[in-house]
Amino acid sequence: MIVYKFIKSHFTLLLLTMILTFIVGCAQTPAEKVELTISAAASLTDACKEIQTAYESKNKNIKLNFNFGASGALQQQIEQGAPSDVFISAAAKNMKVLVDKQLIDSSRQINLLLNELVVVVPADGEAAIGQMSDLSSADMKHLAIGEPQTVPAGGYAKEALANAKLWEPLQDRIVQAKDVRQVLTYVESGNAEAGFVYKTDALSSKKVKVAFSVDPKTYAPIAYPAGIVKATKHNKEAADFYAYLQTKDAQDIFMKFGFSIPK
């Protein structure tokens, strides 16, 4: 009987030790990284790269994968079922389409940022451009804008040109780009004498300079809404990042790159 009790006691102790070892081992095993896909307007590229560094440094289990592009193209990708957890658009209309199609919940989207439209020219350019009417001068052979149907910056540019009665007269000079960053590249390389970009894009390049700011009364307000995609497989993590975008830390980064925050 004494031997039996000893064996039973020893077995119980061994079993408890194994259980504790298993629990400790599980606690020490690093959590599996969650990868979030953020579909973001191309004009957010520089700011979001810094956002990524800041966020991942404080959230070791999160990996942010940014899919940058024209807001219209990103909207279509989400409509077609492409993986995406959070969408940040450069135009309210693209977000509205996804909300209307119930792909993003209206209660989980917000106007995050504001921007301005400017016309840039090569930093070493000699073209005398200081106002909208100068875009019709003989020196202006190529004017770059984003494709108006899919690139919000292009849509704003078309609206401003139409209000100045220049959209039709300049058709043979307009060069359309797949996104606002390509417009910037056209001007940087000298393939276009001028181009319509956001203020934030102009600030990101030393190869261009702002010729003039476009009158904000001539185009719709440039708002950047952000929202959580309903199809996300990482609801908590997507919600946490969406909340982070609205914090002072994130807003300070956005403002550093020239964005402003809605009041």
Side-chain angles (χ1 to χ4, degrees):
M1 178 65 72
I2 294 174
V3 173
Y4 171 74
K5 288 182 177 179
F6 173 79
I7 293 174
K8 183 178 179 182
S9 174
H10 184 71
F11 178 76
T12 302
L13 181 61
L14 180 63
L15 184 60
L16 286 172
T17 302
M18 291 174 64
I19 292 172
L20 286 172
T21 301
F22 176 76
I23 292 173
V24 171
C26 288
Q28 292 177 341
T29 302
E32 184 178 347
K33 276 203 172 186
V34 172
E35 294 195 17
L36 294 179
T37 298
I38 315 301
S39 299
S43 52
L44 289 162
T45 300
D46 297 319
C48 280
K49 285 181 179 178
E50 190 160 323
I51 289 282
Q52 178 180 18
T53 300
Y55 192 76
E56 289 180 353
S57 69
K58 295 180 180 179
N59 299 272
K60 302 297 186 182
N61 66 317
I62 300 294
K63 170 63 177 171
L64 299 178
N65 296 318
F66 282 92
N67 175 28
F68 295 110
S71 298
L74 296 175
Q75 168 207 316
Q76 291 171 5
Q77 290 173 13
I78 294 171
E79 288 177 307
Q80 293 164 7
S84 184
D85 300 289
V86 175
F87 177 43
I88 313 176
S89 172
K93 68 175 184 178
N94 302 109
M95 183 65 72
K96 184 178 185 304
V97 170
L98 297 180
V99 169
D100 289 346
K101 292 190 175 183
Q102 299 185 0
L103 296 174
I104 287 179
D105 194 322
S106 61
S107 66
R108 303 184 83 188
Q109 62 90 36
I110 188 173
N111 275 340
L112 185 68
L113 305 167
L114 298 173
N115 212 337
E116 300 172 31
L117 193 66
V118 300
V119 169
V120 293
V121 295
D124 58 356
E126 298 178 357
I129 299 172
Q131 56 188 353
M132 288 289 278
S133 59
D134 294 335
L135 297 177
S136 60
S137 70
D139 293 333
M140 180 60 55
K141 295 178 173 59
H142 303 94
L143 174 62
I145 74 167
E147 203 286 312
Q149 293 301 315
T150 58
V151 183
Y156 298 127
K158 178 180 178 180
E159 187 179 357
L161 286 167
N163 279 323
K165 301 191 182 332
L166 290 173
W167 176 248
E168 292 300 334
L170 293 179
Q171 279 303 298
D172 60 343
R173 307 184 195 186
I174 290 177
V175 179
Q176 296 189 4
K178 66 177 182 178
D179 58 43
V180 71
R181 281 308 172 100
Q182 191 172 65
V183 173
L184 192 66
T185 299
Y186 285 161
V187 180
E188 287 177 330
S189 62
N191 288 319
E193 285 76 29
F196 282 85
V197 299
Y198 296 122
K199 170 188 172 184
T200 50
D201 296 301
L203 292 174
S204 73
S205 175
K206 294 181 179 179
K207 296 180 180 180
V208 303
K209 60 185 177 183
V210 175
F212 63 90
S213 295
V214 182
D215 183 352
K217 295 178 182 178
T218 63
Y219 58 89
I222 301 175
Y224 283 64
I228 301 173
V229 180
K230 280 187 178 181
T232 178
K233 295 180 180 179
H234 308 289
N235 190 60
K236 180 185 181 303
E237 292 81 3
D240 288 345
F241 180 67
Y242 171 73
Y244 170 77
L245 291 173
Q246 301 170 58
T247 64
K248 184 179 184 304
D249 286 348
Q251 290 178 348
D252 285 346
I253 293 175
F254 284 123
M255 288 191 290
K256 170 185 171 182
F257 285 91
F259 292 95
S260 55
I261 310 301
K263 296 180 180 179

mmCIF file of all heavy atoms in Angstrom, residues 38-53 66-70 74 88 90 113 115 179-182 184 198 200-201 204 224 253-254 257 259:
data_model
loop_
_atom_site.group_PDB
_atom_site.id
_atom_site.type_symbol
_atom_site.label_atom_id
_atom_site.label_comp_id
_atom_site.label_asym_id
_atom_site.label_seq_id
_atom_site.Cartn_x
_atom_site.Cartn_y
_atom_site.Cartn_z
ATOM 1 N N ILE A 38 -3.691 46.957 -46.329
ATOM 2 C CA ILE A 38 -4.270 48.298 -46.313
ATOM 3 C C ILE A 38 -4.291 48.840 -47.739
ATOM 4 O O ILE A 38 -3.244 49.087 -48.335
ATOM 5 C CB ILE A 38 -3.447 49.250 -45.417
ATOM 6 C CG1 ILE A 38 -3.084 48.584 -44.075
ATOM 7 C CG2 ILE A 38 -4.206 50.555 -45.215
ATOM 8 C CD1 ILE A 38 -4.267 48.137 -43.254
ATOM 9 N N SER A 39 -5.467 49.012 -48.303
ATOM 10 C CA SER A 39 -5.607 49.583 -49.648
ATOM 11 C C SER A 39 -5.651 51.098 -49.488
ATOM 12 O O SER A 39 -6.604 51.641 -48.917
ATOM 13 C CB SER A 39 -6.896 49.077 -50.308
ATOM 14 O OG SER A 39 -6.863 47.668 -50.443
ATOM 15 N N ALA A 40 -4.610 51.773 -49.977
ATOM 16 C CA ALA A 40 -4.491 53.212 -49.714
ATOM 17 C C ALA A 40 -4.181 53.992 -50.974
ATOM 18 O O ALA A 40 -3.434 53.522 -51.848
ATOM 19 C CB ALA A 40 -3.406 53.466 -48.665
ATOM 20 N N ALA A 41 -4.745 55.182 -51.075
ATOM 21 C CA ALA A 41 -4.507 56.074 -52.210
ATOM 22 C C ALA A 41 -3.005 56.320 -52.372
ATOM 23 O O ALA A 41 -2.270 56.455 -51.392
ATOM 24 C CB ALA A 41 -5.232 57.395 -51.996
ATOM 25 N N ALA A 42 -2.559 56.395 -53.619
ATOM 26 C CA ALA A 42 -1.132 56.546 -53.915
ATOM 27 C C ALA A 42 -0.518 57.775 -53.256
ATOM 28 O O ALA A 42 0.660 57.769 -52.887
ATOM 29 C CB ALA A 42 -0.927 56.606 -55.431
ATOM 30 N N SER A 43 -1.305 58.814 -53.082
ATOM 31 C CA SER A 43 -0.787 60.045 -52.487
ATOM 32 C C SER A 43 -0.443 59.889 -51.007
ATOM 33 O O SER A 43 0.177 60.773 -50.407
ATOM 34 C CB SER A 43 -1.805 61.185 -52.656
ATOM 35 O OG SER A 43 -3.083 60.798 -52.197
ATOM 36 N N LEU A 44 -0.816 58.755 -50.428
ATOM 37 C CA LEU A 44 -0.528 58.499 -49.017
ATOM 38 C C LEU A 44 0.775 57.721 -48.829
ATOM 39 O O LEU A 44 1.161 57.422 -47.694
ATOM 40 C CB LEU A 44 -1.677 57.701 -48.390
ATOM 41 C CG LEU A 44 -2.997 58.446 -48.188
ATOM 42 C CD1 LEU A 44 -4.133 57.460 -47.993
ATOM 43 C CD2 LEU A 44 -2.907 59.381 -46.998
ATOM 44 N N THR A 45 1.449 57.393 -49.919
ATOM 45 C CA THR A 45 2.603 56.494 -49.868
ATOM 46 C C THR A 45 3.636 56.874 -48.813
ATOM 47 O O THR A 45 3.985 56.061 -47.943
ATOM 48 C CB THR A 45 3.293 56.414 -51.248
ATOM 49 O OG1 THR A 45 2.350 55.916 -52.211
ATOM 50 C CG2 THR A 45 4.483 55.471 -51.202
ATOM 51 N N ASP A 46 4.148 58.081 -48.863
ATOM 52 C CA ASP A 46 5.226 58.469 -47.944
ATOM 53 C C ASP A 46 4.761 58.491 -46.492
ATOM 54 O O ASP A 46 5.455 57.992 -45.600
ATOM 55 C CB ASP A 46 5.790 59.833 -48.343
ATOM 56 C CG ASP A 46 6.417 59.808 -49.722
ATOM 57 O OD1 ASP A 46 7.100 58.824 -50.035
ATOM 58 O OD2 ASP A 46 6.210 60.754 -50.499
ATOM 59 N N ALA A 47 3.599 59.062 -46.251
ATOM 60 C CA ALA A 47 3.079 59.133 -44.885
ATOM 61 C C ALA A 47 2.814 57.743 -44.326
ATOM 62 O O ALA A 47 3.129 57.451 -43.163
ATOM 63 C CB ALA A 47 1.805 59.975 -44.851
ATOM 64 N N CYS A 48 2.257 56.876 -45.153
ATOM 65 C CA CYS A 48 1.906 55.536 -44.671
ATOM 66 C C CYS A 48 3.135 54.672 -44.402
ATOM 67 O O CYS A 48 3.093 53.778 -43.549
ATOM 68 C CB CYS A 48 0.981 54.842 -45.669
ATOM 69 S SG CYS A 48 -0.743 55.372 -45.516
ATOM 70 N N LYS A 49 4.218 54.920 -45.098
ATOM 71 C CA LYS A 49 5.450 54.173 -44.809
ATOM 72 C C LYS A 49 5.942 54.501 -43.405
ATOM 73 O O LYS A 49 6.429 53.628 -42.681
ATOM 74 C CB LYS A 49 6.513 54.487 -45.860
ATOM 75 C CG LYS A 49 6.264 53.804 -47.193
ATOM 76 C CD LYS A 49 7.348 54.121 -48.207
ATOM 77 C CE LYS A 49 7.079 53.390 -49.529
ATOM 78 N NZ LYS A 49 8.103 53.724 -50.555
ATOM 79 N N GLU A 50 5.804 55.760 -43.010
ATOM 80 C CA GLU A 50 6.198 56.139 -41.651
ATOM 81 C C GLU A 50 5.189 55.617 -40.637
ATOM 82 O O GLU A 50 5.566 55.199 -39.535
ATOM 83 C CB GLU A 50 6.343 57.656 -41.541
ATOM 84 C CG GLU A 50 6.973 58.091 -40.232
ATOM 85 C CD GLU A 50 7.573 59.485 -40.285
ATOM 86 O OE1 GLU A 50 8.133 59.860 -41.337
ATOM 87 O OE2 GLU A 50 7.507 60.188 -39.265
ATOM 88 N N ILE A 51 3.906 55.641 -41.010
ATOM 89 C CA ILE A 51 2.857 55.072 -40.153
ATOM 90 C C ILE A 51 3.154 53.592 -39.905
ATOM 91 O O ILE A 51 3.028 53.092 -38.780
ATOM 92 C CB ILE A 51 1.473 55.218 -40.823
ATOM 93 C CG1 ILE A 51 1.006 56.686 -40.821
ATOM 94 C CG2 ILE A 51 0.436 54.310 -40.165
ATOM 95 C CD1 ILE A 51 0.460 57.186 -39.521
ATOM 96 N N GLN A 52 3.553 52.890 -40.950
ATOM 97 C CA GLN A 52 3.855 51.467 -40.846
ATOM 98 C C GLN A 52 4.967 51.205 -39.835
ATOM 99 O O GLN A 52 4.846 50.340 -38.957
ATOM 100 C CB GLN A 52 4.267 50.916 -42.217
ATOM 101 C CG GLN A 52 4.639 49.432 -42.191
ATOM 102 C CD GLN A 52 5.031 48.921 -43.573
ATOM 103 O OE1 GLN A 52 5.344 49.698 -44.466
ATOM 104 N NE2 GLN A 52 5.006 47.617 -43.747
ATOM 105 N N THR A 53 6.051 51.962 -39.953
ATOM 106 C CA THR A 53 7.178 51.800 -39.028
ATOM 107 C C THR A 53 6.748 52.052 -37.590
ATOM 108 O O THR A 53 7.079 51.283 -36.675
ATOM 109 C CB THR A 53 8.325 52.753 -39.401
ATOM 110 O OG1 THR A 53 8.765 52.462 -40.731
ATOM 111 C CG2 THR A 53 9.490 52.600 -38.450
ATOM 112 N N PHE A 66 0.843 47.385 -47.459
ATOM 113 C CA PHE A 66 0.115 48.459 -48.135
ATOM 114 C C PHE A 66 -0.007 48.185 -49.627
ATOM 115 O O PHE A 66 0.962 47.812 -50.291
ATOM 116 C CB PHE A 66 0.810 49.799 -47.910
ATOM 117 C CG PHE A 66 0.547 50.386 -46.551
ATOM 118 C CD1 PHE A 66 1.400 50.128 -45.485
ATOM 119 C CD2 PHE A 66 -0.575 51.177 -46.324
ATOM 120 C CE1 PHE A 66 1.146 50.659 -44.224
ATOM 121 C CE2 PHE A 66 -0.832 51.705 -45.072
ATOM 122 C CZ PHE A 66 0.028 51.444 -44.021
ATOM 123 N N ASN A 67 -1.220 48.364 -50.113
ATOM 124 C CA ASN A 67 -1.505 48.247 -51.547
ATOM 125 C C ASN A 67 -1.866 49.655 -52.026
ATOM 126 O O ASN A 67 -2.985 50.113 -51.852
ATOM 127 C CB ASN A 67 -2.678 47.279 -51.769
ATOM 128 C CG ASN A 67 -3.108 47.213 -53.224
ATOM 129 O OD1 ASN A 67 -2.300 47.437 -54.122
ATOM 130 N ND2 ASN A 67 -4.379 46.913 -53.452
ATOM 131 N N PHE A 68 -0.874 50.359 -52.595
ATOM 132 C CA PHE A 68 -1.088 51.732 -53.031
ATOM 133 C C PHE A 68 -1.565 51.770 -54.481
ATOM 134 O O PHE A 68 -1.119 50.973 -55.317
ATOM 135 C CB PHE A 68 0.207 52.542 -52.910
ATOM 136 C CG PHE A 68 0.694 52.721 -51.508
ATOM 137 C CD1 PHE A 68 1.844 52.074 -51.068
ATOM 138 C CD2 PHE A 68 0.001 53.532 -50.616
ATOM 139 C CE1 PHE A 68 2.306 52.234 -49.768
ATOM 140 C CE2 PHE A 68 0.452 53.694 -49.308
ATOM 141 C CZ PHE A 68 1.600 53.049 -48.886
ATOM 142 N N GLY A 69 -2.454 52.703 -54.778
ATOM 143 C CA GLY A 69 -2.933 52.843 -56.147
ATOM 144 C C GLY A 69 -3.961 53.951 -56.251
ATOM 145 O O GLY A 69 -4.236 54.664 -55.280
ATOM 146 N N ALA A 70 -4.536 54.093 -57.431
ATOM 147 C CA ALA A 70 -5.620 55.055 -57.619
ATOM 148 C C ALA A 70 -6.840 54.587 -56.833
ATOM 149 O O ALA A 70 -7.151 53.396 -56.816
ATOM 150 C CB ALA A 70 -5.967 55.169 -59.103
ATOM 151 N N LEU A 74 -8.551 50.817 -56.569
ATOM 152 C CA LEU A 74 -8.610 50.084 -55.297
ATOM 153 C C LEU A 74 -10.058 49.738 -54.948
ATOM 154 O O LEU A 74 -10.351 48.640 -54.469
ATOM 155 C CB LEU A 74 -7.994 50.930 -54.182
ATOM 156 C CG LEU A 74 -6.494 51.245 -54.324
ATOM 157 C CD1 LEU A 74 -6.057 52.198 -53.209
ATOM 158 C CD2 LEU A 74 -5.652 49.977 -54.300
ATOM 159 N N ILE A 88 -8.320 53.302 -47.473
ATOM 160 C CA ILE A 88 -8.168 54.749 -47.291
ATOM 161 C C ILE A 88 -8.192 55.380 -48.674
ATOM 162 O O ILE A 88 -7.264 55.199 -49.470
ATOM 163 C CB ILE A 88 -6.853 55.118 -46.569
ATOM 164 C CG1 ILE A 88 -6.629 54.244 -45.331
ATOM 165 C CG2 ILE A 88 -6.886 56.596 -46.165
ATOM 166 C CD1 ILE A 88 -5.304 54.492 -44.637
ATOM 167 N N ALA A 90 -8.811 58.645 -51.544
ATOM 168 C CA ALA A 90 -8.522 60.075 -51.714
ATOM 169 C C ALA A 90 -9.767 60.819 -52.180
ATOM 170 O O ALA A 90 -9.682 61.976 -52.577
ATOM 171 C CB ALA A 90 -7.382 60.272 -52.704
ATOM 172 N N LEU A 113 -8.624 62.665 -43.378
ATOM 173 C CA LEU A 113 -7.673 63.717 -43.736
ATOM 174 C C LEU A 113 -8.240 64.660 -44.787
ATOM 175 O O LEU A 113 -9.238 64.344 -45.441
ATOM 176 C CB LEU A 113 -6.382 63.084 -44.298
ATOM 177 C CG LEU A 113 -5.662 62.046 -43.439
ATOM 178 C CD1 LEU A 113 -4.630 61.316 -44.277
ATOM 179 C CD2 LEU A 113 -5.021 62.716 -42.241
ATOM 180 N N ASN A 115 -6.749 67.468 -48.061
ATOM 181 C CA ASN A 115 -5.597 67.806 -48.888
ATOM 182 C C ASN A 115 -5.950 68.983 -49.787
ATOM 183 O O ASN A 115 -7.095 69.447 -49.793
ATOM 184 C CB ASN A 115 -5.156 66.604 -49.722
ATOM 185 C CG ASN A 115 -3.662 66.568 -49.981
ATOM 186 O OD1 ASN A 115 -2.986 67.593 -49.937
ATOM 187 N ND2 ASN A 115 -3.145 65.380 -50.275
ATOM 188 N N ASP A 179 -2.100 57.171 -61.798
ATOM 189 C CA ASP A 179 -2.312 57.675 -60.443
ATOM 190 C C ASP A 179 -1.540 58.979 -60.276
ATOM 191 O O ASP A 179 -0.772 59.381 -61.155
ATOM 192 C CB ASP A 179 -1.930 56.652 -59.363
ATOM 193 C CG ASP A 179 -0.476 56.202 -59.451
ATOM 194 O OD1 ASP A 179 0.399 57.053 -59.662
ATOM 195 O OD2 ASP A 179 -0.219 54.998 -59.294
ATOM 196 N N VAL A 180 -1.735 59.632 -59.153
ATOM 197 C CA VAL A 180 -1.148 60.957 -58.961
ATOM 198 C C VAL A 180 0.376 60.893 -58.878
ATOM 199 O O VAL A 180 1.075 61.842 -59.254
ATOM 200 C CB VAL A 180 -1.763 61.633 -57.701
ATOM 201 C CG1 VAL A 180 -1.279 60.968 -56.426
ATOM 202 C CG2 VAL A 180 -1.471 63.125 -57.679
ATOM 203 N N ARG A 181 0.918 59.773 -58.416
ATOM 204 C CA ARG A 181 2.363 59.642 -58.341
ATOM 205 C C ARG A 181 2.996 59.568 -59.737
ATOM 206 O O ARG A 181 4.128 59.998 -59.951
ATOM 207 C CB ARG A 181 2.750 58.425 -57.504
ATOM 208 C CG ARG A 181 2.643 58.693 -55.989
ATOM 209 C CD ARG A 181 3.414 59.951 -55.637
ATOM 210 N NE ARG A 181 3.244 60.393 -54.284
ATOM 211 C CZ ARG A 181 4.113 60.180 -53.299
ATOM 212 N NH1 ARG A 181 5.208 59.501 -53.517
ATOM 213 N NH2 ARG A 181 3.882 60.668 -52.093
ATOM 214 N N GLN A 182 2.258 59.019 -60.688
ATOM 215 C CA GLN A 182 2.766 58.993 -62.061
ATOM 216 C C GLN A 182 2.753 60.399 -62.661
ATOM 217 O O GLN A 182 3.643 60.761 -63.438
ATOM 218 C CB GLN A 182 1.941 58.042 -62.929
ATOM 219 C CG GLN A 182 2.582 57.782 -64.287
ATOM 220 C CD GLN A 182 1.870 56.696 -65.066
ATOM 221 O OE1 GLN A 182 0.713 56.848 -65.459
ATOM 222 N NE2 GLN A 182 2.554 55.594 -65.302
ATOM 223 N N LEU A 184 3.349 63.066 -60.971
ATOM 224 C CA LEU A 184 4.547 63.660 -60.388
ATOM 225 C C LEU A 184 5.794 63.217 -61.163
ATOM 226 O O LEU A 184 6.675 64.039 -61.460
ATOM 227 C CB LEU A 184 4.659 63.253 -58.921
ATOM 228 C CG LEU A 184 5.692 63.989 -58.067
ATOM 229 C CD1 LEU A 184 5.329 65.454 -57.918
ATOM 230 C CD2 LEU A 184 5.807 63.327 -56.692
ATOM 231 N N TYR A 198 -1.466 66.670 -55.592
ATOM 232 C CA TYR A 198 -1.821 67.176 -54.271
ATOM 233 C C TYR A 198 -0.646 67.945 -53.675
ATOM 234 O O TYR A 198 0.509 67.714 -54.027
ATOM 235 C CB TYR A 198 -2.195 66.022 -53.342
ATOM 236 C CG TYR A 198 -3.413 65.258 -53.777
ATOM 237 C CD1 TYR A 198 -3.333 63.890 -54.022
ATOM 238 C CD2 TYR A 198 -4.641 65.885 -53.931
ATOM 239 C CE1 TYR A 198 -4.446 63.162 -54.411
ATOM 240 C CE2 TYR A 198 -5.764 65.173 -54.318
ATOM 241 C CZ TYR A 198 -5.665 63.808 -54.562
ATOM 242 O OH TYR A 198 -6.766 63.102 -54.957
ATOM 243 N N THR A 200 0.583 67.506 -50.870
ATOM 244 C CA THR A 200 1.461 66.544 -50.202
ATOM 245 C C THR A 200 2.444 65.903 -51.171
ATOM 246 O O THR A 200 3.587 65.611 -50.816
ATOM 247 C CB THR A 200 0.619 65.447 -49.523
ATOM 248 O OG1 THR A 200 -0.331 64.929 -50.468
ATOM 249 C CG2 THR A 200 -0.133 66.008 -48.332
ATOM 250 N N ASP A 201 2.023 65.678 -52.409
ATOM 251 C CA ASP A 201 2.927 65.107 -53.416
ATOM 252 C C ASP A 201 4.023 66.103 -53.767
ATOM 253 O O ASP A 201 5.187 65.737 -53.918
ATOM 254 C CB ASP A 201 2.148 64.739 -54.687
ATOM 255 C CG ASP A 201 1.128 63.651 -54.447
ATOM 256 O OD1 ASP A 201 1.520 62.556 -54.026
ATOM 257 O OD2 ASP A 201 -0.063 63.900 -54.661
ATOM 258 N N SER A 204 6.790 66.178 -51.370
ATOM 259 C CA SER A 204 7.602 64.958 -51.292
ATOM 260 C C SER A 204 8.754 64.940 -52.286
ATOM 261 O O SER A 204 9.618 64.068 -52.227
ATOM 262 C CB SER A 204 6.715 63.721 -51.532
ATOM 263 O OG SER A 204 6.352 63.618 -52.908
ATOM 264 N N TYR A 224 -10.190 62.499 -47.386
ATOM 265 C CA TYR A 224 -9.661 61.131 -47.407
ATOM 266 C C TYR A 224 -10.399 60.294 -46.355
ATOM 267 O O TYR A 224 -10.043 60.317 -45.182
ATOM 268 C CB TYR A 224 -8.176 61.128 -47.064
ATOM 269 C CG TYR A 224 -7.236 61.559 -48.160
ATOM 270 C CD1 TYR A 224 -7.278 62.853 -48.663
ATOM 271 C CD2 TYR A 224 -6.293 60.684 -48.681
ATOM 272 C CE1 TYR A 224 -6.400 63.267 -49.656
ATOM 273 C CE2 TYR A 224 -5.415 61.089 -49.675
ATOM 274 C CZ TYR A 224 -5.475 62.385 -50.159
ATOM 275 O OH TYR A 224 -4.606 62.779 -51.148
ATOM 276 N N ILE A 253 1.979 62.451 -37.850
ATOM 277 C CA ILE A 253 2.739 61.964 -39.009
ATOM 278 C C ILE A 253 2.103 62.477 -40.296
ATOM 279 O O ILE A 253 2.791 62.972 -41.192
ATOM 280 C CB ILE A 253 2.800 60.422 -39.008
ATOM 281 C CG1 ILE A 253 3.646 59.924 -37.823
ATOM 282 C CG2 ILE A 253 3.383 59.905 -40.333
ATOM 283 C CD1 ILE A 253 3.663 58.423 -37.658
ATOM 284 N N PHE A 254 0.786 62.377 -40.391
ATOM 285 C CA PHE A 254 0.091 62.849 -41.595
ATOM 286 C C PHE A 254 0.332 64.349 -41.811
ATOM 287 O O PHE A 254 0.587 64.795 -42.936
ATOM 288 C CB PHE A 254 -1.405 62.567 -41.500
ATOM 289 C CG PHE A 254 -1.782 61.125 -41.725
ATOM 290 C CD1 PHE A 254 -2.495 60.410 -40.779
ATOM 291 C CD2 PHE A 254 -1.409 60.476 -42.898
ATOM 292 C CE1 PHE A 254 -2.844 59.078 -40.989
ATOM 293 C CE2 PHE A 254 -1.748 59.150 -43.120
ATOM 294 C CZ PHE A 254 -2.464 58.447 -42.161
ATOM 295 N N PHE A 257 3.564 65.390 -43.349
ATOM 296 C CA PHE A 257 3.655 65.237 -44.807
ATOM 297 C C PHE A 257 2.702 66.164 -45.561
ATOM 298 O O PHE A 257 2.493 66.002 -46.764
ATOM 299 C CB PHE A 257 3.397 63.771 -45.182
ATOM 300 C CG PHE A 257 4.562 62.868 -44.869
ATOM 301 C CD1 PHE A 257 4.644 62.228 -43.640
ATOM 302 C CD2 PHE A 257 5.589 62.686 -45.786
ATOM 303 C CE1 PHE A 257 5.727 61.419 -43.337
ATOM 304 C CE2 PHE A 257 6.668 61.869 -45.485
ATOM 305 C CZ PHE A 257 6.740 61.242 -44.258
ATOM 306 N N PHE A 259 -0.682 66.896 -44.906
ATOM 307 C CA PHE A 259 -2.129 66.708 -44.793
ATOM 308 C C PHE A 259 -2.664 67.567 -43.651
ATOM 309 O O PHE A 259 -1.931 67.957 -42.747
ATOM 310 C CB PHE A 259 -2.461 65.233 -44.516
ATOM 311 C CG PHE A 259 -2.156 64.302 -45.652
ATOM 312 C CD1 PHE A 259 -0.948 63.612 -45.691
ATOM 313 C CD2 PHE A 259 -3.062 64.115 -46.685
ATOM 314 C CE1 PHE A 259 -0.642 62.762 -46.745
ATOM 315 C CE2 PHE A 259 -2.774 63.265 -47.737
ATOM 316 C CZ PHE A 259 -1.550 62.576 -47.776
#
